Amino acid sequence: MTTEQQFKQIFKANYSLVVNKINQILSDRAIAEDLAQDVFMQLYNTNWNEIENIPAWLRKSAAYASYNHIRSEKRESERIKKESTSIQETIASSEDQFLHKDEVSNVQAILETMDDRERNLLLMKYSGFSYKEVAHTLGITQTSIGKLLSRARNKFSDLYEQKRGGE
């Protein structure tokens, strides 16, 4: 009997044993049949004439193939999840950057429509200047800063709402 004939005989006698062993672990007949092919290819490429108990070797190889498949699927799932999270973060980051640039443009456009004193008052106050510094720089009394700032904020807020309502 030739080596090919011997292998075919081993294959026919043990194929269902290998498929059933893998299917027992994975509960997926199609994957079990694919992995069984791999197990038999591994046997074929091994010096199988030196194996004492071929059915035992095949069962053991079937179990290893099943567990390797599970590990591989788990790694693949984790990689996909990680890539998906990374892509979502990148998209969110890009969207945030776009929205931030758009918001900055809107604020700058609104500030440009305001008169110089109101614009400078808002810019200085939100840049961290004290009422005293604002008053000195703009040449107005320190006691009037609160009222002027409140008016400028309200005007800015109204203009901002109008701009957002128009989009």
Side-chain angles (χ1 to χ4, degrees):
M1 187 180 296
T2 67
T3 305
E4 290 288 321
Q5 290 172 331
Q6 286 177 327
F7 185 78
K8 284 180 184 179
Q9 194 175 39
I10 292 169
F11 182 85
K12 286 179 183 177
N14 294 288
Y15 179 75
S16 62
L17 170 104
V18 172
V19 170
N20 289 337
K21 179 65 177 176
I22 296 170
N23 193 38
Q24 200 176 41
I25 296 170
L26 299 178
S27 299
D28 188 325
R29 184 79 179 177
I31 293 174
E33 290 174 358
D34 287 345
L35 290 177
Q37 295 295 323
D38 293 342
V39 169
F40 279 101
M41 287 302 297
Q42 184 180 359
L43 175 65
Y44 186 81
N45 293 323
T46 303
N47 188 359
W48 48 274
N49 290 320
E50 294 180 6
I51 298 173
E52 284 182 38
N53 187 344
I54 290 179
W57 186 94
L58 288 170
R59 279 193 299 276
K60 191 174 188 178
S61 293
Y64 286 146
S66 300
Y67 297 133
N68 284 340
H69 178 76
I70 291 169
R71 281 189 291 274
S72 176
E73 289 293 308
K74 185 176 179 184
R75 281 192 299 268
E76 179 70 10
S77 175
E78 288 173 0
R79 184 187 62 76
I80 289 170
K81 183 178 176 183
K82 185 177 178 181
E83 286 178 8
S84 174
T85 302
S86 175
I87 289 169
Q88 288 173 349
E89 288 173 356
T90 301
I91 289 170
S93 176
S94 296
E95 286 176 1
D96 289 344
Q97 287 176 356
F98 175 76
L99 292 174
H100 179 70
K101 286 179 182 177
D102 191 45
E103 193 68 24
V104 168
S105 295
N106 285 340
V107 168
Q108 287 174 337
I110 292 168
L111 286 172
E112 288 299 318
T113 65
M114 298 176 76
D115 69 50
D116 288 343
R117 186 172 77 173
E118 292 170 327
R119 179 178 46 254
N120 290 333
L121 189 63
L122 288 172
L123 290 173
M124 291 180 74
K125 179 58 186 158
Y126 289 103
S127 294
F129 287 83
S130 68
Y131 276 24
K132 184 178 181 179
E133 293 169 317
V134 172
H136 180 328
T137 304
L138 297 179
I140 48 181
T141 63
Q142 187 174 341
T143 55
S144 62
I145 295 292
K147 188 170 196 143
L148 294 172
L149 186 58
S150 177
R151 286 182 188 159
R153 277 190 205 127
N154 289 338
K155 182 175 181 180
F156 177 86
S157 181
D158 290 343
L159 291 169
Y160 184 81
E161 289 302 318
Q162 286 175 4
K163 183 159 182 69
R164 289 193 72 202
E167 291 181 354

